[in-house]
Amino acid sequence: MTDTLSTPLLSAENLGRDYGARIGCRDVAFDLFEGEVLAIVGESGSGKSTLLNLLSGQLAPTAGRVAYRMRDGATRDLGSLSEAERRFLFRTDWGFVHQDATRGLRMGVSAGGNVGERLMAVGERHYGRIRAAAEDWLGRVEIDTTRIDEKPTAYSGGMRQRLQIARNLVTAPRLVFMDEPTGGLDVSVQARLLDLVRGLVADLGLAVIVVTHDLAVARLLSHRTMVMKDGRVIEQGLTDRVLDDPREAYTQLLVSSILQP
Amino acid sequence: MTASTATAAGGYAFAYLDDQTKRMIRRAILKAIAIPGHQVPFAARDMPMPYGWGTGGIQVTAAILGPADVLKVIDQGADDTTNAVSIRKFFKTTANVAVTTRTTEATVIQTRHRIPETPLGPGQILVYQVPIPEPLRFLEPRETETRVMHALADYGLMHVKLYEDIATHGRIAKTYAYPVKVEGRYVMDPSPTPKFDNPKMHLSPALQLFGAGREKRIYALPPFTHVVSLDFEDHPFEPTRFDAPCALCGATGVYLDEVVTDDAGGRMFVCSDTDHCETRRAEGHHGTEWAGEATEATA
Ligand SMILES: Nc1ncnc2c1ncn2[C@@H]1O[C@H](COP(=O)(O)OP(=O)(O)OP(=O)(O)O)[C@@H](O)[C@H]1O
Ligand SMILES: [Mg+2]
């Protein structure tokens, strides 16, 4: 147990990715521990999505590495995982919530099938248990369970995001990546979603890496915040400290322009 | 035909295909046998008939036929449909092999839609004409992705499809092209045979070869291969069952077709396997609609 607490779940070392001559992101280093929520903020084009894709093994780095402590306790370099191991990690111990729900859901499959997919992928072969798990998770993300057989095309934007979250959490992952999870939603819908995510994160002890350009999201969800500019991390620390007492001029600008009316 | 005289003279280029093509297809078949259930790409040739006629199966048959073979061709279980008659005629012309309608006499049986009711034996080869070889196609349209899914045995999506069936219909509604798992490894589409026939593939002493012409794929089940239909523990696979016996030969436990008997809407259920039905009637069996002409026929 002490081991679990003292060894990071995920570590980025000197991580970078160039797109030819253009910098995607550079020199990123941090440790993420179990149950910790990290927000990555910055303006458009600052390298947030690039970094998230590197951290989740969906993009190969041109520099550095990402280490992840697997469920068996062994810490592995993501780059050394086979495609089969990577996929397994992705559908068991990780979640990924996309801004665009149509990328994170199977729009032609019912809500129940969407939530059950991961269970079936890891070998669950009992329909009744799959359905019970799907109902349980729909309930936990506040979706009326009588709508279990509807396709996500019949769901509102907020419901689709909640369905995406249920679909990811059904295998009890330890780490969830989120790319602008509230982007494109109405303010009241955003608030409800953030509330829900905050509750789940606390209940389940999830580690989360959330990318957002909305500092309010960082404020509400995260323990720590990383500020990016031109592909580099220019400031990182406890979220309250970064947002209330920013050291970098750029962060001060970001905070004043967005948080203060 | 010049082709048939050339091939009848012997040599590798027997039965329509030139020897290069034949080597290539036989290599694909050997590879398919070595990796049961795995789809092997091959450079399918144009055949002198449209794809819908089963050019994949025809190429496989042409690649394996030898002068001593006895060929049977069935379509929907029947030896006398246009498709079956034409293919049989094609091989009679190009390979001059003996043909038969009797399952027990055939060494090579080419089929679309059915597996004969008479259990196949060692040494027999069943060649399937396959229109769509990829069981994941309707779930994942990207070929690059389905290839990776097969490579990694990443088959969760197949069960998502079955889950959707049960959620919608209360049971697995698929009645043909019902997916199977081969030797615990590859998921395979036996398309387009009815699921009634799925259990016959399991541990069959015969060699089963599948050819898809348009999609250029060959796959195989060597004799005594484990073939298991996908299902859920609480919704197990159930082969189609028929309530009544065949109206002509009285057989039970066989696949039946509904046929309309008159203009007044009269109908009856009869064996889809015409050879099986005729053999039984010749042996003196009869159903409700056929009292028996066996004495007349044998007289
Ligand atoms: N596939 C790519 N090829 C070339 N350049 C790319 C590619 N993806 C991103 N970039 C560049 O890398 C930099 C970082 O982009 P990235 O998408 O990571 O930013 P972001 O912070 O996620 O922006 P946004 O808030 O608009 O989503 C940008 O200059 C972008 O143009
Ligand atoms: Mg982005």
Side-chain angles (χ1 to χ4, degrees), chain A residues 68-122:
Chain A
Y68 184 73
R69 179 160 51 76
M70 312 288 279
R71 278 188 179 178
D72 65 6
T75 296
R76 301 274 306 271
D77 185 335
L78 287 189
S80 74
L81 297 182
S82 68
E83 175 66 12
E85 287 174 314
R86 205 181 66 82
R87 282 188 180 221
F88 187 73
L89 189 62
F90 228 94
R91 63 172 54 129
T92 52
D93 210 22
W94 286 1
F96 200 109
V97 177
H98 296 266
Q99 170 172 359
D100 176 3
T102 62
R103 284 186 58 203
L105 294 173
R106 288 194 190 277
M107 299 306 282
V109 168
S110 70
N114 265 286
V115 179
E117 178 174 347
R118 276 174 167 238
L119 296 175
M120 293 180 249
V122 297

Side-chain angles (χ1 to χ4, degrees), chain A residues 83-84 87 91 106 109-110 112-113 117 120 125-131 149, chain B residues 139 145 148-149 152 154 156-157 159-160 163-164 166-167 231-235:
Chain A
E83 175 66 12
R87 282 188 180 221
R91 63 172 54 129
R106 288 194 190 277
V109 168
S110 70
E117 178 174 347
M120 293 180 249
R125 293 290 176 264
H126 191 282
Y127 176 83
R129 280 201 297 267
I130 294 164
R131 198 155 172 92
D149 293 329
Chain B
L139 303 162
E145 182 60 18
V148 174
M149 290 164 81
L152 302 176
D154 189 358
L157 261 189
H159 274 87
V160 172
Y163 170 96
E164 292 290 284
I166 302 172
D231 61 5
F232 286 104
E233 288 160 23
D234 49 344
H235 284 268

Side-chain angles (χ1 to χ4, degrees), chain A residues 19 22-24 43-51 180:
Chain A
Y19 298 104
R22 186 181 294 137
I23 297 173
E43 64 187 11
S44 183
S46 59
K48 305 183 296 293
S49 295
T50 300
L51 178 56
E180 304 277 9

Side-chain angles (χ1 to χ4, degrees), chain B residues 246-270:
Chain B
C246 169
L248 297 179
C249 76
T252 53
V254 295
Y255 194 81
L256 301 178
D257 284 335
E258 187 176 15
V259 293
V260 176
T261 51
D262 53 41
D263 291 344
R267 54 194 64 227
M268 60 179 181
F269 286 92
V270 301

